[in-house]
């Protein structure tokens, strides 16, 4: 009988043997006996959720935190190696705790199924427990299931939940709620569950149906208006370590540019004068309101950094730059930074592959990649985030 040992985890979470064989739902140290039998190794754990591995919300509940942390590190190192970039100091990874995710996008299937999609499928897993989302969000799932049924929601509808300062912000996607009965059902639901806001998007953009007071998210002590369906870091714990890593990389610069700034997660955490460039109009208005309320010197600039990145001449004025692009990375902006004289750069990424591509551009332009902090905000998933520090 052939016996092989799992030596690591591949990008999609499968175990990999010494011979390069991929074996789903195995952990490092497991022994694969023949074609099917698995002898558990030291890094295998019992998955806590009844829906694993069917539910697509998690891929790695069967491994312990040590193996999961190594998975985060390996993903980053392999992405850098593919670009020919030497790995720098890799700091101890942060893994957000169970039941800490403060935003979730759930899918609805006619007949009353509400939850995440199944692995590699559009089939909805009817969520009866969840070990990743905050209890405040999970506690709404049963009532939401009933509400969507009463509204006659069709397959493909969904619910996006975000925990904000005032409570749960709920957006119902692809849901029609015409007529008095539907309006009353929405108001009763929002009131009974003390929602911070309830909005509907029937295909023409979000329409707020309930918002007793203006909804905000507190970022670095600043209450910033929270536009419907806007982005927040997945966990408060993850946000805190990313902010700390960015502040360390920036090094107390008095004139800093925060590019792809979103609502100002990193801009409001800096001292001095901050230019916050962002392509989303609602986010820019939110930052302006937050700056005005707090007296912070954050200057929000509505700017598409893919089509119009800050030029070398513009960048050379700054002591440090923060980059936090979407999954596509910051190819155009990285090229301008590589030509600039900015001495310090913090790069926050949710995609090791596009980060590595941009890191090569920066390194080829004279930057040194000093350190990387891997971050696992989406616990037990294959989603990898990081904060990196570059210096000239």
């Amino acid at each position: 009988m052939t016996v092989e040992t799992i030596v690591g985890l591949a990008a999609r979470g499968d175990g990999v043997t010494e011979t390069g064989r991929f074996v789903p739902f195995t952990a490092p140290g497991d022994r694969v006996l023949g074609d099917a039998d698995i002898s558990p190794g030291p890094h295998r754990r019992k998955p806590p959720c009844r829906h694993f591995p069917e539910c697509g919300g998690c891929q790695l509940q069967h491994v312990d935190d040590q193996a999961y942390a190594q998975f985060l590190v390996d993903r980053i190192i392999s992405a850098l190696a593919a670009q020919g970039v030497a790995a720098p100091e890799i700091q101890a990874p942060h893994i957000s705790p169970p039941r800490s995710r403060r935003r979730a996008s759930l899918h609805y299937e006619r007949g009353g199924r509400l939850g995440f999609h199944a692995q590699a499928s559009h089939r909805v897993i009817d969520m009866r427990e969840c070990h990743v989302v905050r209890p405040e969000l999970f506690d709404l799932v049963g009532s939401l299931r009933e509400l969507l049924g009463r509204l006659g929601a069709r397959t493909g509808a969904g619910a996006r939940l975000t925990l904000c300062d005032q409570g749960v912000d709920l957006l119902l996607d692809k849901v029609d709620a015409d007529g008095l009965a539907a309006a009353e059902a929405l108001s009763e639901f929002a009131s009974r569950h003390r929602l911070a806001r309830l909005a509907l998007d029937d295909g023409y953009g979000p329409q707020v149906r309930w918002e007793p007071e203006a909804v905000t998210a507190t970022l670095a002590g600043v209450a910033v208006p929270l536009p419907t369906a806007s982005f927040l870091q997945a966990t408060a714990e993850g946000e805190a370590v990313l902010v700390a890593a960015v502040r360390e990389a920036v090094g107390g610069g008095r004139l800093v540019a925060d590019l792809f700034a979103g609502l100002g997660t990193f801009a409001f955490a800096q001292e001095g004068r901050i230019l916050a460039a962002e392509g989303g109009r609602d986010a820019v208005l939110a930052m302006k309101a937050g700056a005005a309320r707090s007296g912070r010197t954050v200057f929000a600039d509505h700017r598409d950094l893919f089509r119009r990145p800050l030029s070398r001449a513009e960048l050379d004025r700054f002591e440090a730059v923060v980059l936090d692009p979407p999954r596509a990375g910051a190819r155009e902006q990285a090229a301008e930074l590589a030509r600039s004289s900015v001495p310090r750069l913090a790069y926050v990424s949710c995609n090791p592959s596009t980060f590595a591509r941009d890191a090569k551009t920066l390194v080829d332009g004279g930057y040194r990649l000093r350190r990387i902090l891997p971050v696992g905000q989406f616990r037990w998933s294959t989603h990898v985030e990081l904060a990196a520090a570059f210096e000239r």
Side-chain angles (χ1 to χ4, degrees), residues 8-262:
L9 297 171
R12 295 185 179 180
D14 292 342
V16 185
T17 68
E18 310 104 310
T19 61
R21 178 184 171 192
F22 293 84
V23 185
F25 304 114
T26 54
D30 286 358
R31 300 175 70 209
V32 184
L33 313 176
D35 293 330
D37 291 338
I38 306 296
S39 175
H43 297 293
R44 175 173 287 276
R45 71 191 295 273
K46 181 180 179 181
C49 182
R50 75 177 83 172
H51 298 304
F52 183 83
E54 189 180 13
C55 176
C58 297
Q59 295 83 43
L60 294 167
Q61 281 195 12
H62 61 290
V63 306
D64 65 11
D65 282 359
Q66 182 181 344
Y68 182 53
Q70 190 61 50
F71 167 78
L72 300 176
V73 172
D74 291 345
R75 281 286 311 281
I76 294 167
I77 291 176
S78 63
L80 290 171
Q83 295 290 339
V85 178
E89 172 196 352
I90 305 293
Q91 298 176 305
H94 162 82
I95 302 174
S96 292
R99 295 186 171 93
S100 62
R101 199 182 305 175
R102 60 183 176 183
R103 56 183 175 88
S105 294
L106 307 181
H107 307 280
Y108 182 76
E109 203 170 79
R110 190 184 293 274
R113 300 173 71 87
L114 179 67
F116 295 118
H117 281 141
Q119 298 277 2
S121 171
H122 290 294
R123 180 171 58 87
V124 174
I125 300 301
D126 197 30
M127 182 185 284
R128 299 294 169 170
E129 67 176 296
C130 185
H131 293 256
V132 293
V133 301
R134 288 278 295 260
E136 298 95 324
L137 305 186
F138 178 75
D139 289 347
L140 283 174
V141 171
S143 297
L144 259 177
R145 189 182 290 112
E146 296 175 5
L147 175 67
L148 290 168
R150 288 177 61 187
L151 295 175
R154 59 190 183 276
T155 297
R160 283 190 271 179
L161 303 96
T162 303
L163 191 60
C164 60
D165 292 340
Q166 291 75 23
V168 177
D169 179 16
L170 171 64
L171 172 63
L172 300 179
D173 278 320
K174 300 179 183 177
V175 172
D176 299 315
D178 297 325
L180 179 60
E184 289 178 341
L186 290 172
S187 296
E188 190 276 332
F189 181 89
S191 176
R192 174 160 50 97
H193 293 285
R194 299 182 179 180
L195 297 184
R197 177 168 58 201
L198 190 155
L200 266 67
D201 188 345
D202 56 5
Y204 296 95
Q207 305 167 48
V208 175
R209 296 293 189 94
W210 174 275
E211 189 175 7
E213 60 180 293
V215 171
T216 60
T218 296
L219 305 173
V222 178
V224 179
L226 183 67
T228 302
S230 55
F231 174 82
L232 284 179
Q233 293 293 336
T235 70
E237 295 84 355
E239 179 183 292
V241 298
L242 287 172
V243 166
V246 166
R247 293 188 67 166
E248 182 182 4
V250 166
R254 304 302 299 174
L255 188 59
V256 178
D258 183 4
L259 310 181
F260 305 96

Side-chain angles (χ1 to χ4, degrees), residues 35 149 152 177 223 279 308 328 373:
D35 293 330
R308 194 165 63 92
L373 170 67

